[in-house]
């Protein structure tokens, strides 16, 4: 059953949830969370785990890297044209042993300045989505298919995603998530190597050969800000992820 706090965060996402409420709990919750207030990113001490690394040193074998080696390797990477525009790489943020890993396409200029993925208004909505699932933002791990921003915040090119693929593969191996949530149709198509539409990609579990992790696709928060009517579908996707996570947790007990 959804907690009152999750319902408040759903409200922050812009989704009304019609369920019977305990009137006592409703009063208590309204004093703790003001649903009409925008949910902001909380830069807690544990939120961003040394994800922006100064550039230096030689390139190493990606498949065998531990976390510090991985972060250094990404920081010094010159494997695609995106290296020319960046001032910093944005490796990822959050719990490096998270059950839930969330993937977008590329860091924005603002993400680069902030040193974390999904730092702006879209990031605030992503935080609300995460909280609606029952997590704090620093309990999940968030990253992108490519670690360097594109020139005009456009989607990364196929060859850029391919150049960065070894990093995201190793990153997933290091985090060992139980579920991967992929944001946006282009990100999903490139990650899953699919040409299917969003309508076909949503609502099911996907698996890719090299990773034994279920992948769930939903809308990118920036798109949801422009198309709020799709938030209800996004919530269905988040519920699918929650169901899969709860199934995995039960099987591990
Ligand atoms: Fe290297 Fe990835 Fe940055 Fe390209 S986007 S330079 S492959 S880290």
């Amino acid at each position: 059953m959804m907690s009152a706090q999750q319902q408040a965060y759903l409200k922050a996402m812009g989704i009304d949830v019609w369920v019977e409420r305990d009137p006592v709990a409703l009063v208590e919750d309204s004093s703790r969370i003001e649903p009409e207030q925008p949910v902001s990113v909380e830069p807690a001490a544990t939120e961003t785990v040394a994800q922006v690394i100064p550039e230096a040193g030689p390139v190493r074998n990606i498949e065998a890297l531990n976390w510090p080696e991985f972060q250094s390797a990404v920081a010094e990477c010159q494997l695609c044209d995106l290296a020319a525009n960046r001032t910093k790489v944005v490796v990822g943020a959050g719990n490096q042993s998270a059950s839930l890993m969330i993937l977008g396409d590329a860091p924005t200029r603002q993400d680069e300045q902030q040193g974390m993925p999904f730092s702006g208004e879209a990031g605030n909505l992503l935080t609300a989505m995460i909280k609606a699932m029952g997590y704090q933002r620093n309990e999940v791990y968030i990253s992108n298919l490519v670690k360097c921003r594109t020139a005009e915040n456009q989607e990364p090119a196929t060859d850029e995603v391919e150049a960065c693929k070894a990093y995201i593969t190793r990153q997933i191996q290091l985090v060992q998530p139980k579920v991967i949530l992929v944001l946006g149709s282009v990100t999903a198509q490139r990650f899953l190597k699919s040409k299917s539409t969003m309508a076909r990609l949503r609502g099911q579990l996907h698996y890719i050969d090299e990773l034994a992790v279920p992948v769930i696709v939903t809308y990118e928060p920036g798109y949801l800000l422009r198309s709020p009517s799709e938030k209800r579908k996004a919530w269905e996707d988040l519920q699918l992820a929650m169901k899969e996570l709860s199934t995995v947790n039960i099987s591990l007990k």
Side-chain angles (χ1 to χ4, degrees):
M1 181 177 170
M2 191 188 311
S3 71
Q5 192 172 37
Q6 281 178 281
Q7 291 175 47
Y9 285 122
L10 275 178
K11 184 101 177 178
M13 278 180 65
I15 297 173
D16 290 323
V17 182
W18 297 93
V19 293
E20 281 193 25
R21 296 291 309 274
D22 178 342
V24 175
L26 182 61
V27 169
E28 289 176 351
D29 276 349
S30 65
S31 67
R32 292 165 53 198
I33 300 171
E34 176 50 65
E36 298 302 327
Q37 295 294 322
V39 178
S40 60
V41 177
E42 298 162 4
T46 56
E47 175 93 5
T48 304
V49 187
Q51 306 298 333
V52 179
I53 314 295
E55 301 188 29
V59 174
R60 283 157 275 186
N61 179 11
I62 296 170
E63 295 175 1
L65 300 178
N66 61 27
W67 268 115
E69 293 167 341
F70 173 81
Q71 290 168 326
S72 295
V74 178
E76 66 205 19
C77 178
Q78 301 285 329
L79 284 176
C80 80
D81 292 344
L82 296 181
N85 287 324
R86 74 178 181 219
T87 56
K88 298 171 186 168
V89 296
V90 181
V91 181
N95 179 357
Q96 293 179 339
S97 302
S99 296
L100 177 62
M101 186 166 179
I102 299 175
L103 295 180
D105 56 2
T108 63
R109 188 184 297 272
Q110 185 176 8
D111 295 343
E112 187 181 69
Q113 291 168 350
Q114 297 292 321
M116 61 186 293
F118 290 95
S119 62
E121 190 180 359
N124 292 341
L125 178 55
L126 179 59
T127 300
M129 293 164 70
I130 291 167
K131 289 185 173 180
M133 297 177 73
Y135 293 95
Q136 296 301 308
R137 182 162 164 142
N138 62 3
E139 292 179 309
V140 307
Y141 190 83
I142 306 171
S143 189
N144 287 298
L145 291 187
V146 299
K147 313 305 182 193
C148 305
R149 71 169 175 84
T150 55
E152 302 296 334
N153 288 345
Q154 76 274 28
E155 292 153 351
T158 306
D159 61 331
E160 293 160 349
V161 173
E162 197 59 32
C164 217
K165 181 184 173 188
Y167 293 123
I168 192 64
T169 300
R170 183 59 187 155
Q171 203 167 20
I172 292 168
Q173 291 170 342
L174 288 166
V175 175
Q176 296 188 305
K178 305 298 180 283
V179 171
I180 298 173
L181 183 66
V182 175
L183 305 176
S185 57
V186 173
T187 309
Q189 288 165 349
R190 291 184 178 159
F191 186 64
L192 297 171
K193 295 195 184 320
S194 169
K195 293 183 178 176
S196 294
T197 62
M198 190 59 152
R200 289 181 175 275
L201 290 169
R202 289 184 53 248
Q204 59 177 304
L205 303 180
H206 303 267
Y207 291 88
I208 50 181
D209 290 342
E210 59 267 44
L211 300 168
V213 184
V215 177
I216 293 169
V217 177
T218 194
Y219 295 100
E220 198 271 331
Y223 171 79
L224 291 174
L225 290 173
R226 299 188 297 276
S227 306
S229 62
E230 303 285 35
K231 287 181 180 177
R232 185 164 292 280
K233 290 185 193 169
W235 174 232
E236 292 171 4
D237 302 330
L238 301 187
Q239 287 178 296
L240 177 60
M242 291 159 66
K243 181 181 175 189
E244 185 63 18
L245 283 163
S246 66
T247 302
V248 171
N249 289 336
I250 288 170
S251 67
L252 290 176
K253 284 181 181 173

